[in-house]
Amino acid sequence: MRALTALVLALACSQPPPPPCGSPAFAPKLDYLRHLGMDLTIGGKRVRAVALYANAPDYRHTASPARDGSEGVACVDDAARAALVYLRDVEVTGNPASREEASRLIDFVVAMEQGNGEWINFVNADGTPNRTSPTSVASFSYWAARALWALAEGYRVLHREDLRPVLDRAVARFARELDSGRLVGGSVTATSEALLGVLAYLRVAPTPSNTSTALRAAQRLVKTEQRGIHIEGEAWHAWGARAVQALAAAAITLRRPEFAESARREADGLWARFDRGVPAGLEPDGSLKQFPQIAYGQSPIIEGYLALADATGDRRYAVRAGKLARWFTGGNSAGARMYDAATGRTFDGIQSATAINRNAGAESNVEALLALEAIAQNPVAVGAFQDVEPTGRAEITYWPAANPIEVDLARGLAAEFMAQNPDVIIHVQPIPAGRSSEEVLLAAIVGHATPDVCSNINSALLSRLVRAQSVVRLDTLGPTAARLRERASDAMLAPVRLPDGGIYALPWKTNPMVLLYNSDLVAKPPRTYSELRTLFHRLAKDADGDGRLDHWALFVKPSPTWFERFYDFYPLYLAGSRGKTLVEHGKVAFDNEAAVAALELLHDGFAAHELPLAMFEGRDPFLDGTVAMKIVGPWFLQQLEELKMPGLHYEVAPVPVPDGESPEHAYAFGDLKSIAIFATTRHPDAAGRFVAFLTSPAADRKLVELAAQLPYRRSLTDDPRIASALDRWHGMRTIAAQVERVRDIDIDRDIVEVLDIVSEAYEAASVYGTVSPARAVHDAAREAREVLER
Amino acid sequence: MKRALFYLVLGLAAITFLYPFLWMIATTFKPPSEAGTLSLLPDAPTLDNYRAMFARAPVGRAMINSLLVATTVTASVLVLGSLPAYALARLDFPGRRFVHGVTLAYLLVPSQLTLIPLYSLIVRLGWVDSYRALIVPFLFNAPGVLMLHKFFLQIPRSLVDAARLDGMSEVRIVFGVFWPLARPALATVGIVTFMGTWNEVLWPLLVVRDQSTMTMPQLLTVFTLGGGAGTLGIQLAAATVLIVPVIVAYAFLQRHFIESMAGGVKG
Amino acid sequence: MRHERSTGLFLASPYIVFFTIFWLIPIAAALVMVFLDWDLVTPPRYAGTENIELLLQDVRFGRALLNTLVFLAVNIPLQVALALALALALNRNIIMRSFWRGTFFLPVVISGAAVTVLWKALYSTDVGLLNQMLNAAGVRSVPWLTDPTLAMPAIAVMVTWKNVGFYIVLYLAGLQYVPRTCYEAMAIEGATPWQQFRNVTWPLLRPVTGLVTTLSVINGFQVFIEPYVMTGGGPLRRTLSPVLYMYKQAFGYQKMGYAATIGVALALIMAACLFVGRKLAAGKEAA
C-alpha cells in the first residue's frame, strides 16, 4: 500500500521552486536612543528625558559642557523630538515600551510649560529648570515649537486627553506670534515645526481656529521664500531647512497646492545640487559649504523630500530622499558608516573627507531616527536607500478581481505605475468571472500558469497558498515591508501573520460590516441586543391587512450557505466576542457566550416571526422598505447611490453589542482581501514595488473614491491624504472608523467547513428552533473540533 | 360513461405533465409584477426577461458549446466506438476477452466512484476550462460499444468474408458494410449519447469555470444559483431556451427518442 | 490469422488506451485516494485509514444516507404505482396512444437542470405555482422546500415526475408479454379486474418492477443537481444527498481524499443494496 501510494505521490506532485529573494526589509533600531534616556524628577513627577551628549568611546550620558554655558543635563528640545521617534514606533508596532517612553518624555515636556503656552528648555540634574540661559528662557522659541509638535502627535497617537489644555495654550501662543508677523524664535525651522504640530493637531481637532492658525503659518513660511529658498535673516543651513517638509504637509492637510509649489522650488533648486549627503549650508556667494555635515542636517532634507513626494505624487522626490539617506550607511564623502544597524546609533557628523565625529548625542540620533523611520515607511525611498540593483526590464502579470470597477481601477493604477517605472510592464488580466477565484488560482498553480501578482486573495485561500509554498513572504521583501510599516500597525497585522511570523499577502482592503438602517423607520440606531429586540418587535408589521406580516426590522437570510453568515451571525458574534473568532491556531474558539447570545438573538426573532422567513429572491427588501435594517459592507453604499431610490433615507451605525458588553471591545467583521506575489515570479522586486504602489496613499484614495471600498490602513479617518475621500459616500466615515477593529475569517484550511457547521447550528437553533442555542453551539464546537483535529 | 371518466383522468394526468412547461413558458413573457400568477396568458406580455437574460449571460455561446460538445461526443462514440465493437465481434485478437470484460464491468461501476479521480486527472493535465475536458473522457462509452457490438454480431459472416475477398480493409468494412446495415443501432446509440451529453450538468460544473466554455445546462445552473438571474422570469427564460430545441426535436422524433432511450435499457 | 490478430489489436488499441486512462486508472486512483489527504495543490499526505474512520463516524454522511432512504421511500412506491397505473391505462385500446405516451415521456428527455429550475419555481413559497393554486383554493402556502420534513419528499416527487414516463415505457414493453389469453381465461372464470391484476399481471411484471426498482435505487443514490439547485442540502441537512456531500467535500473544502472515500463507500453501499434487493426478489420468486 505504501509503495503504491509513494508511486502515486511521485507521479502526482511537483514541488514548486523555492521563492526568489528580493531586497531585504529595513527598520531602524531604537536601542541606542533608549540608552540615551534618563529619568528625572521635576516638581515631584517622575519623567523621562534624553541625555544631550554621549561621546566616543564609551557613550556615557554627558551634560551640556561649560563652553556652552552649562545649560543643563537635558532639554525639551531633544526630549520633544525623541518623543516623536517613539510615537512613530508606537504607531507601527504598538510596543508598550515605546508607548511608555513616549508618554514619559511628553510628561517632561508638559512639566516644562509655564502655564501660558511658553516653555523653558533646559533642566539641571536635580530637576530644576534653567531659567536664565538665552537658550532656555521662558518664551515661545524653537524649543516651544518642538514641544507643540510633540504634544500634538502625542495627543493624536496616545489619546491623552490631559494634553489638550497645554496644547491649546501652545497653539494660541503660536497664533499670537503669527499675528505679530514674527517667525517663531526668528527661525524658519522653528515656525515650520510649530506648523507641523498644528497640522498633526488638526487631524484630531479640526477646529476653524486651528485651521486658521495653520493656514497663516504656512502663508508666513511662503513669504520667507527668496530666490528659491526659505530663509529669513540668516544664511541657509541644512538643519534649518524644515520649511519644505512643513509646506508640503500643509499642502496636503489644508488642500492648498500652492504651498507644495513653494516647497518644490527649494527642493528642485537648491537641493538638487546635493550629492553624497546634505552640506552644512550656503556660503554668501551661493556656493555650497560642505562641512561639517551633521546627522541633524540630513533629516529635514530627507523628510522634506518625502513629504513632497506625498504631496505631489512624484516618486522622484522619494528616490532622492533614499539616495541622500545613504549618507547614513556609507554614501558620504568620508565613506563612513554613520548609522550602526545593530544598535541604531548614529555618529554626530563628518568634519571633513577624512575626519568623522564619532560622538553620538541626542539631537543627531533623534533626527537620524526620524529620517530613517520616514525612509523605512516609503517603498520607493527604501529601494533607493538600499541601492537595489536594477534588474532590467520586467514583465509582470497582474490579476485583479473580476468586477468592472476594480478592473478599471487596476488598469488605471497599472498605467500610472508604468509611467513612473519605465523598466516595468504590467499586464492586467482580470480573473475570469467563474465560480470563485480560489479555484482559478489553485488550478493556475497546478497548471504552472500563475500570475506574478494577484489582488483577490482572501484568508481561506491564503492558508492554502502558503501551504503550497506558492507565495512570496512580504514582510521581508523591501518595498512591501516598507509599505506594511507605513500602512498598518502590528495589531492590525496580527490576524494575517502566519504561525512562522511571516506576512504572505499584503492586506489590501477590508469591508467592515455595519448596520445600515432606514432613517425614516428607525430614529435611533440600536446599540445593544435589547434595543435590537425592541426594534424587531416594533417594526414587524402587517401593512396590507391580509393577516400576514409583510414588514420587518431586519433582513436575515434563513439559508444555511456558509457565506451568508457574514451578514448575520458572524458580525453579531464578533460584536460581543472581544476579538475571538471561530478558529484560533487550529483550535475551536467560538465555544463561548457570545456565540450563544448571537444565536439566541436571532432565534428570538424567528420564533416570534419578527424576522422574515423568506429569501426575497430577485429583490432587495431594504431598498423597497420591506425591511428597515440590513447588515452590509461599504460597497453597498455605492449601490445605494447608483440606484437612487427615491424617498430612501439611510444611515449607518456599528453592529449592536450584547447587553453588558462595551462597544469599545467590539470588533466588526471585515473580510480582508489581500495582494500576493507568487513565488513563480521572476521579478520579485519589481512585483514588490508594484504591490507597494497599489497600496500607496494615492491608490488607496482612489479605492475609496471610485470603488467605495476601504483600504486596510491605520488612522484612516484622520489621514489627511485620504480622509477627505471618505466624504464621497454618505455613511462611509462611520464604517471607516471600524477599519482598525476588524476581524476576518481565520486563515485555516478548514475554515469553510467550520463555517458550514456553524451555519447549520444557526439553522437549527435560530431559524427552526429545533435545538437550544447553547446546545447548538456545543454540538457545532464538537463537530468542528473533529474537523480541525485531523 | 366509464370511458369518459377514464379519458378525464388520463387527461388530468397528462395536464400534470404538460402544464408546468406551459406555465414556465408563459411566465417568461410576464413582467415581474405578474410572476407567479396562475394564468397562462400574461396581461402585459413582454420580452424583457429574454432581453435581460441575453444581456446577463452568454446564452448563445453556451448553446453553441452544448451543441459542439454533444455533436463531437456523439460522432466519436459512433465512429470511434464502431472500431472496437467490430473488433470484438469479428476479429480475434489478444486481449479480446479482457477488453470485452472491462467494457461489461464498467457498466457496473457507479459514476460517483470515478468522479473525483477523473476531476483530479483533468486538473493535473491542465485541461480545466477547455473543451477537451468536456469531450475527451467521453469519446467512448461502454453501453455504446456493447450495443454496437451486439448489433454487429447479428450481421452475417458471409457479408464480411465477401468484402474481404474483394480486398476491402477492415476499416472500410466497418464503415462501408456494417454502417449502412446498422442504422437502427446507430440511431439508438446516437440519440441516447446526444441527449445524455446535452443534458449532462455535473461534469461541466466540475471542470469548467469560465463562462465562455460552459454548456447550457451548466450556465442555467450557475445563473440561477449565482443570483445573476434576478427575477423568476429571467431564470425561467434561461430554462426555456435550454429545453425548447429539445421539445421541438422531440415533437418530430418522439418515436425514435422513446425507442432509443427506453429500448436501450432492455438490451 | 496473424493479420486478423494485428488488425484487431490495431482497431481496438485507441479504445484500450482510452479506457486505461479514463476508466481503469481513475478507479485505481479512487482506491488510492482513500488513503490520502490531498487538496490537489499541496503535496498529498499519506493518511492511512483516517478517512475511513472519519467516514464511519461522520454524522453528515449518515444523514445523507438517511436522506436517500427517505427519498427512495417516497420515490419508489410512487413511481412504481404511477408508472404501472399509467402503463395499464395506455395498454388498452385507446385513441391517441402515442400522444399520451409522448406527453408522459417528455420530462425524461428534458435536462435535469431545467426541470430542477422549473420545480424550484413551482415550489417557491412566494410566487410558486403550487402555492398560488393552494391559495386560490383558500389553503395557506406550504413551505415545500424550507420545511425540514417536506423538503426531501418534495424533491422525490419531482424526480418521480421526471422519470415516470421512462418506467411507463418499460412497463408497456413488459405488458406485451402478458398473453391476452390469460386475461380472457380469468374473465371467464369470473375473476375481478383486481384479482386479474394481483394474480397475473403483477407477478408477470415482476422482472420489470425489479428493473424499475433497481434503476430507481441507482438513480436515487446519484441525486445531485436537485438538492444542489433547490436547497443547497438544507434545511437542517435534510436534503443533503451523498453525492452532494461528496461534492462539498471536494470542491467546498478541497478534501479530495475524503471525497474519494465517500465515492468508494457509496459504490459499495449501492452494490450492497442491489445485491440484497436481488436476493430478496429471488427469495420471493422462489416462494
Side-chain angles (χ1 to χ4, degrees):
Chain A
M1 197 71 244
R2 272 214 120 96
L4 187 56
T5 313
L7 179 64
V8 168
L9 289 176
L11 288 174
C13 348
S14 45
Q15 280 284 13
C21 308
S23 54
F26 170 69
K29 280 256 172 91
L30 301 183
D31 298 30
Y32 181 73
L33 186 63
R34 225 163 257 130
H35 160 78
L36 287 180
M38 59 179 6
D39 290 320
L40 286 174
T41 310
I42 299 186
K45 229 180 148 211
R46 286 202 60 80
V47 299
R48 196 98 166 126
V50 285
L52 293 169
Y53 304 107
N55 296 334
D58 54 4
Y59 297 106
R60 275 178 322 175
H61 297 176
T62 310
S64 163
R67 67 151 199 275
D68 286 349
S70 300
E71 296 144 315
V73 298
C75 61
V76 165
D77 203 22
D78 291 344
R81 284 176 293 169
L84 287 176
V85 174
Y86 286 112
L87 287 172
R88 295 209 180 145
D89 190 55
V90 168
E91 275 192 290
V92 173
T93 67
N95 182 346
S98 295
R99 189 181 288 269
E100 170 81 359
E101 197 81 17
S103 205
R104 306 231 332 255
L105 283 164
I106 286 179
D107 286 342
F108 171 53
V109 170
V110 169
M112 299 290 274
E113 190 247 354
Q114 298 304 297
N116 56 0
E118 296 187 346
W119 263 268
I120 295 203
N121 198 10
F122 282 91
V123 69
N124 297 315
D126 59 359
T128 55
N130 179 340
R131 294 177 187 281
T132 50
S133 280
T135 53
S136 185
V137 68
S139 58
F140 196 84
S141 183
Y142 59 88
W143 55 92
R146 284 156 184 179
L148 193 167
W149 193 10
L151 288 175
E153 292 279 10
Y155 177 54
R156 184 178 73 78
V157 176
L158 302 177
H159 307 293
R160 279 180 55 168
E161 282 300 323
D162 62 309
L163 297 177
R164 201 139 180 183
V166 195
L167 206 36
D168 287 332
R169 289 197 291 269
V171 174
R173 183 66 184 80
F174 177 42
R176 286 215 311 277
E177 286 296 299
L178 292 171
D179 284 340
S180 67
R182 287 195 295 264
L183 287 173
V184 172
S187 147
V188 167
T189 291
T191 313
S192 304
E193 285 160 357
L195 170 55
L196 283 166
V198 180
L199 290 172
Y201 193 24
L202 270 176
R203 285 177 65 162
V204 281
T207 65
S209 97
N210 286 343
T211 312
S212 148
T213 308
L215 254 177
R216 286 183 299 150
Q219 284 159 347
R220 182 65 182 85
L221 284 176
V222 171
K223 266 179 66 183
T224 66
E225 193 188 333
Q226 26 171 304
R227 280 174 297 143
I229 56 177
H230 299 81
I231 201 65
E232 195 161 291
E234 45 179 357
W236 185 93
H237 47 274
W239 53 92
R242 265 219 154 83
V244 173
Q245 182 186 353
L247 283 171
I252 300 176
T253 307
L254 302 171
R255 316 228 230 136
R256 295 291 199 95
E258 66 261 30
F259 297 147
E261 287 310 307
S262 174
R264 270 185 118 129
R265 288 191 275 272
E266 181 166 332
D268 292 343
L270 173 61
W271 294 9
R273 294 159 60 187
F274 302 160
D275 175 46
R276 313 205 85 216
V278 178
L282 275 183
E283 301 285 10
D285 64 357
S287 65
L288 297 176
K289 174 173 182 282
Q290 281 296 341
F291 297 102
Q293 290 184 354
I294 59 174
Y296 178 11
Q298 313 302 309
S299 173
I301 314 302
I302 291 173
E303 291 189 85
Y305 267 137
L306 291 173
L308 259 182
D310 256 348
T312 61
D314 189 343
R315 76 186 283 275
R316 285 173 302 175
Y317 292 126
V319 172
R320 286 190 220 152
K323 286 194 176 142
L324 274 181
R326 289 193 218 153
W327 183 91
F328 292 100
T329 50
N332 53 57
S333 346
R337 299 204 108 251
M338 303 299 283
Y339 169 80
D340 174 28
T343 58
R345 183 194 60 211
T346 306
F347 296 142
D348 282 344
I350 297 175
Q351 315 283 53
S352 73
T354 49
I356 301 164
N357 178 348
R358 288 202 164 78
N359 297 333
E363 199 163 54
S364 313
N365 277 273
V366 164
E367 290 285 349
L369 288 172
L370 284 176
L372 290 173
E373 177 63 43
I375 294 277
Q377 292 191 13
N378 188 308
V380 174
V382 149
F385 172 56
Q386 292 174 320
D387 205 3
V388 176
E389 283 296 312
T391 49
R393 251 169 87 97
E395 285 202 34
I396 300 217
T397 45
Y398 170 42
W399 287 7
N403 82 66
I405 298 180
E406 288 187 37
V407 170
D408 281 343
L409 186 64
R411 292 201 205 277
L413 290 174
E416 259 185 66
F417 182 77
M418 286 194 277
Q420 294 185 17
N421 293 272
D423 57 327
V424 182
I425 307 238
I426 315 269
H427 299 287
V428 177
Q429 297 166 351
I431 294 180
R435 250 208 344 271
S436 70
S437 46
E438 280 88 343
E439 277 137 359
V440 174
L441 277 170
L442 292 171
I445 292 175
V446 172
H448 302 296
T450 41
D452 294 275
V453 177
C454 176
S455 66
N456 205 26
I457 313 284
N458 63 37
S459 306
L461 181 56
L462 185 58
S463 70
R464 308 194 46 224
L465 290 176
V466 174
R467 276 185 76 220
Q469 296 181 306
S470 308
V471 286
V472 173
R473 186 168 167 169
L474 297 181
D475 56 326
T476 48
L477 179 67
T480 46
R483 176 59 67 215
L484 283 168
R485 214 174 160 83
E486 185 267 328
R487 202 168 183 264
S489 62
D490 275 8
M492 286 168 79
L493 291 177
V496 295
R497 218 174 262 283
L498 273 297
D500 68 356
I503 309 266
Y504 287 87
L506 207 147
W508 179 34
K509 55 190 173 89
T510 179
N511 287 306
M513 305 288 269
V514 291
L515 188 69
L516 174 72
Y517 63 96
N518 186 325
S519 44
D520 292 329
L521 297 171
V522 178
K524 215 173 68 85
R527 291 272 141 78
T528 64
Y529 280 12
S530 298
E531 289 177 25
L532 191 54
R533 276 198 180 85
T534 313
L535 280 178
F536 283 174
H537 188 72
R538 195 158 61 78
L539 293 172
K541 288 197 185 73
D542 173 17
D544 60 5
D546 63 353
R548 284 179 308 175
L549 291 175
D550 40 53
H551 284 77
W552 295 270
L554 182 67
F555 179 36
V556 169
K557 273 207 186 152
S559 142
T561 316
W562 59 274
F563 52 77
E564 297 290 355
R565 301 291 75 74
F566 297 160
Y567 303 92
D568 43 59
F569 169 76
Y570 200 46
L572 286 166
Y573 164 70
L574 283 176
S577 71
R578 298 188 175 218
K580 272 203 167 317
T581 52
L582 296 177
V583 173
E584 273 166 18
H585 308 299
K587 299 242 181 314
V588 166
F590 63 88
D591 197 357
N592 56 41
E593 286 298 313
V596 176
L599 284 181
E600 233 168 52
L601 172 72
L602 294 169
H603 160 81
D604 293 346
F606 279 114
H609 302 291
E610 288 162 357
L611 287 176
L613 200 64
M615 297 288 282
F616 296 107
E617 302 245 2
R619 62 182 249 249
D620 185 324
F622 179 80
L623 292 176
D624 56 27
T626 309
V627 298
M629 301 184 280
K630 217 164 94 128
I631 297 183
V632 290
W635 71 85
F636 198 71
L637 295 181
Q638 186 187 47
Q639 282 185 33
L640 279 171
E641 243 200 48
E642 253 177 43
L643 290 169
K644 279 196 239 295
M645 303 296 296
L648 180 64
H649 302 116
Y650 56 88
E651 294 296 334
V652 160
V655 171
V657 299
D659 302 346
E661 281 294 333
S662 153
E664 281 161 17
H665 295 134
Y667 280 80
F669 169 57
D671 66 318
L672 276 179
K673 285 278 165 36
S674 305
I675 307 181
I677 300 179
F678 281 80
T680 45
T681 184
R682 281 171 303 173
H683 310 285
D685 207 65
R689 277 156 47 207
F690 181 54
V691 172
F693 179 78
L694 287 174
T695 47
S696 61
D700 283 345
R701 197 191 167 87
K702 291 203 173 78
L703 182 69
V704 175
E705 272 175 341
L706 300 174
Q709 303 210 25
L710 293 174
Y712 193 59
R713 183 176 263 286
R714 60 173 195 248
S715 307
L716 185 58
T717 46
D718 59 61
D719 189 323
R721 298 166 297 185
I722 307 174
S724 52
L726 296 171
D727 297 322
R728 163 79 183 77
W729 307 99
H730 178 69
M732 192 60 96
R733 266 196 191 263
T734 314
I735 307 182
Q738 304 271 357
V739 162
E740 285 180 67
R741 291 196 67 80
V742 137
R743 280 283 182 265
D744 188 8
I745 56 174
D746 307 280
I747 303 181
D748 187 298
R749 74 171 198 148
D750 291 317
I751 192 64
V752 174
E753 204 169 347
V754 171
L755 271 163
D756 256 336
I757 293 172
V758 167
S759 275
E760 284 162 355
Y762 158 77
E763 215 194 4
S766 302
V767 179
Y768 291 102
T770 53
V771 152
S772 78
R775 171 115 223 143
V777 169
H778 180 77
D779 289 344
R782 192 171 38 85
E783 269 187 51
R785 251 174 230 122
E786 280 165 19
V787 168
L788 290 168
E789 261 143 40
R790 244 179 266 188
Chain B
M1 191 48 215
K2 265 182 74 177
R3 259 188 116 65
L5 194 61
F6 171 77
Y7 278 107
L8 187 65
V9 173
L10 198 58
L12 275 173
I15 289 181
T16 318
F17 283 81
L18 284 180
Y19 187 74
F21 292 112
L22 294 173
W23 177 80
M24 177 171 89
I25 297 176
T27 308
T28 60
F29 293 108
K30 289 183 194 160
S33 50
E34 282 185 59
T37 56
L38 289 174
S39 65
L40 283 184
L41 292 172
D43 291 332
T46 168
L47 285 177
D48 280 346
N49 290 324
Y50 286 97
R51 272 193 217 111
M53 176 200 69
F54 279 112
R56 294 186 201 185
V59 171
R61 183 70 197 248
M63 292 293 275
I64 292 179
N65 289 337
S66 279
L67 195 62
L68 180 69
V69 172
T71 314
T72 312
V73 169
T74 308
S76 167
V77 164
L78 291 177
V79 172
L80 291 180
S82 294
L83 300 176
Y86 173 73
L88 285 172
R90 283 285 174 257
L91 299 170
D92 185 24
F93 60 92
R96 179 190 188 199
R97 284 241 199 93
F98 172 68
V99 172
H100 195 192
V102 166
T103 313
L104 276 174
Y106 198 68
L107 284 182
L108 299 176
V109 172
S111 63
Q112 304 96 313
L113 183 64
T114 49
L115 213 54
I116 301 299
L118 263 178
Y119 168 72
S120 311
L121 182 62
I122 298 293
V123 171
R124 304 301 307 190
L125 286 172
W127 286 3
V128 173
D129 277 335
S130 70
Y131 290 114
R132 277 168 292 174
L134 293 172
I135 295 175
V136 173
F138 308 104
L139 290 177
F140 295 88
N141 79 39
V145 168
L146 285 173
M147 210 175 290
L148 290 174
H149 169 240
K150 200 171 118 171
F151 198 86
F152 287 175
L153 276 174
Q154 293 169 10
I155 293 177
R157 271 201 174 279
S158 46
L159 271 176
V160 183
D161 294 333
R164 280 200 191 127
L165 282 174
D166 271 348
M168 272 181 142
S169 73
E170 301 295 325
V171 177
R172 294 265 319 264
I173 294 179
V174 175
F175 296 111
V177 176
F178 278 57
W179 265 41
L181 296 173
R183 277 215 197 93
L186 290 172
T188 302
V189 174
I191 291 183
V192 171
T193 309
F194 190 87
M195 289 313 302
T197 313
W198 180 271
N199 287 339
E200 175 65 41
V201 70
L202 175 50
W203 180 249
L205 274 175
L206 300 192
V207 298
V208 171
R209 309 296 147 71
D210 179 18
Q211 273 201 358
S212 64
T213 321
M214 284 187 187
T215 59
M216 191 58 208
Q218 180 187 12
L219 185 67
L220 171 64
T221 305
V222 168
F223 196 46
T224 308
L225 269 187
T231 67
L232 190 65
I234 305 180
Q235 286 178 25
L236 294 180
T240 306
V241 168
L242 172 60
I243 71 176
V244 157
V246 174
I247 294 185
V248 168
Y250 180 73
F252 287 107
L253 301 172
Q254 183 192 287
R255 199 164 63 88
H256 295 278
F257 270 89
I258 298 182
E259 279 176 12
S260 309
M261 293 174 81
V265 176
K266 301 290 298 304
Chain C
M1 223 21 214
R2 267 190 68 202
H3 161 82
E4 186 180 301
R5 286 169 76 84
S6 60
T7 315
L9 207 51
F10 172 69
L11 285 184
S13 48
Y15 181 54
I16 295 176
V17 169
F18 172 84
F19 70 60
T20 308
I21 299 179
F22 290 103
W23 294 357
L24 298 181
I25 290 186
I27 295 179
L31 298 170
V32 169
M33 281 169 84
V34 169
F35 300 97
L36 294 180
D37 175 16
W38 196 25
D39 63 3
L40 279 193
V41 176
T42 53
R45 177 179 73 88
Y46 179 72
T49 52
E50 268 174 41
N51 287 333
I52 302 177
E53 286 165 25
L54 271 158
L55 191 64
L56 289 173
Q57 301 167 9
D58 192 339
V59 169
R60 289 169 287 171
F61 184 63
R63 172 44 67 183
L65 290 176
L66 201 59
N67 293 338
T68 306
L69 266 174
V70 170
F71 176 89
L72 292 172
V74 173
N75 171 264
I76 294 184
L78 196 59
Q79 201 145 266
V80 167
L82 273 178
L84 191 49
L86 288 171
L88 285 171
L90 293 187
N91 198 32
R92 299 188 186 190
N93 206 354
I94 57 170
I95 55 169
M96 299 197 307
R97 176 189 286 132
S98 48
F99 169 75
W100 303 116
R101 191 185 58 168
T103 308
F104 298 136
F105 198 80
L106 176 60
V108 179
V109 305
I110 301 297
S111 154
V115 170
T116 307
V117 170
L118 169 60
W119 276 78
K120 187 172 181 193
L122 290 182
Y123 277 137
S124 163
T125 322
D126 302 332
V127 295
L129 178 64
L130 280 180
N131 281 323
Q132 293 284 337
M133 283 167 47
L134 286 175
N135 287 341
V139 180
R140 283 187 61 169
S141 291
V142 179
W144 299 105
L145 295 178
T146 47
D147 183 308
T149 31
L150 288 180
M152 199 49 151
I155 292 185
V157 166
M158 176 189 91
V159 172
T160 308
W161 180 87
K162 182 175 194 305
N163 290 328
V164 77
F166 185 83
Y167 299 123
I168 291 176
V169 172
L170 286 187
Y171 270 123
L172 273 177
L175 281 171
Q176 305 309 317
Y177 288 100
V178 177
R180 285 218 159 270
T181 49
C182 255
Y183 287 127
E184 286 160 12
M186 296 199 75
I188 289 174
E189 286 188 30
T192 66
W194 170 248
Q195 282 173 324
Q196 287 177 25
F197 174 76
R198 227 191 76 183
N199 297 325
V200 177
T201 319
W202 177 252
L204 280 176
L205 284 178
R206 221 186 246 124
V208 184
T209 305
L211 184 59
V212 171
T213 309
T214 305
L215 291 174
S216 298
V217 168
I218 294 177
N219 206 26
F221 271 98
Q222 291 178 338
V223 162
F224 167 77
I225 195 69
E226 295 84 358
Y228 181 64
V229 172
M230 293 174 104
T231 59
L236 296 181
R237 293 182 190 159
R238 293 288 199 265
T239 59
L240 182 69
S241 76
V243 176
L244 181 58
Y245 186 52
M246 186 171 86
Y247 178 86
K248 266 191 171 184
Q249 285 289 340
F251 299 96
Y253 315 145
Q254 277 78 40
K255 300 226 175 99
M256 295 299 166
Y258 192 57
T261 313
I262 295 175
V264 172
L266 266 182
L268 291 173
I269 291 174
M270 216 166 79
C273 276
L274 293 173
F275 183 73
V276 168
R278 276 255 155 92
K279 283 283 181 208
L280 280 177
K284 272 181 102 171
E285 264 197 52

